[in-house]
Amino acid sequence: MRPTSSLKSYILQFQRLTYKRRHCYNTKSNSVKIIKTPGGKLTFKYTDKKRQIPKCGDTGRKLIGIPAVAPKVMRTLKKRQRKVSRAYGGCLSAMSVRTRIVRAFLIEEKKIVKAVQRAQKTKDKAKK
């Protein structure tokens, strides 16, 4: 016969476990982890779901500085934890905002150049 300590560990290895809350099915919402208590028994420890990190609306890249939490928890967070302190803070990535700003600037510059060229043409026609 085996020594008592190995017999005890052998029994613990095959101890039956039952769910304590929700239902008895192994679903995403009822995820558990088997742990050993200080008393030596095996029990279920309920684990939270892994949440998705918020993503940029334009590029689909992960937004840096915003936690991956459930929507319910996100509502309870402080405003500074929910967003980044710049324009389009919690919606777009920094790269997207930069490209939008550059694009808007270049469009405005293009309009100014066209106006200057138009004025130059009218000036040249006036001379002739």
Side-chain angles (χ1 to χ4, degrees):
M1 185 155 167
R2 297 179 186 178
T4 56
S5 62
S6 65
L7 182 63
K8 188 176 179 183
S9 66
Y10 180 77
I11 291 168
L12 279 176
Q13 194 175 1
F14 299 105
Q15 180 186 333
R16 288 183 178 222
L17 298 172
T18 55
Y19 288 101
K20 299 293 177 197
R21 42 174 138 131
R22 281 189 179 263
H23 41 71
C24 59
Y25 305 108
N26 184 19
T27 60
K28 281 197 294 184
S29 62
N30 200 25
S31 60
V32 291
K33 181 181 175 184
I34 298 172
I35 59 157
K36 192 180 282 189
T37 60
K41 290 196 299 184
L42 295 178
T43 58
F44 278 142
K45 179 183 180 183
Y46 284 86
T47 56
D48 291 334
K49 286 185 185 180
K50 285 188 175 177
R51 303 299 179 169
Q52 281 193 333
I53 295 175
K55 292 180 177 63
C56 173
D58 285 353
T59 60
R61 296 168 77 186
K62 294 175 185 175
L63 294 178
I64 307 298
I66 298 172
V69 293
K72 189 176 181 180
V73 178
M74 186 67 93
R75 285 193 294 271
T76 63
L77 292 177
K78 294 174 184 164
K79 194 172 184 181
R80 65 177 178 78
Q81 293 171 324
R82 278 180 290 178
K83 58 184 246 165
V84 182
S85 59
R86 74 173 134 71
Y88 299 101
C91 305
L92 299 177
S93 63
M95 202 62 203
S96 296
V97 175
R98 186 182 298 147
T99 54
R100 281 182 179 210
I101 291 169
V102 169
R103 189 183 301 132
F105 175 75
L106 291 174
I107 288 169
E108 288 301 316
E109 285 291 308
K110 190 176 176 183
K111 286 178 186 176
I112 292 167
V113 167
K114 276 186 178 179
V116 168
Q117 285 176 344
R118 220 179 289 121
Q120 201 80 30
K121 279 184 183 178
T122 55
K123 204 175 190 182
D124 289 344
K125 281 186 180 179
K127 280 186 179 179
K128 287 181 183 181

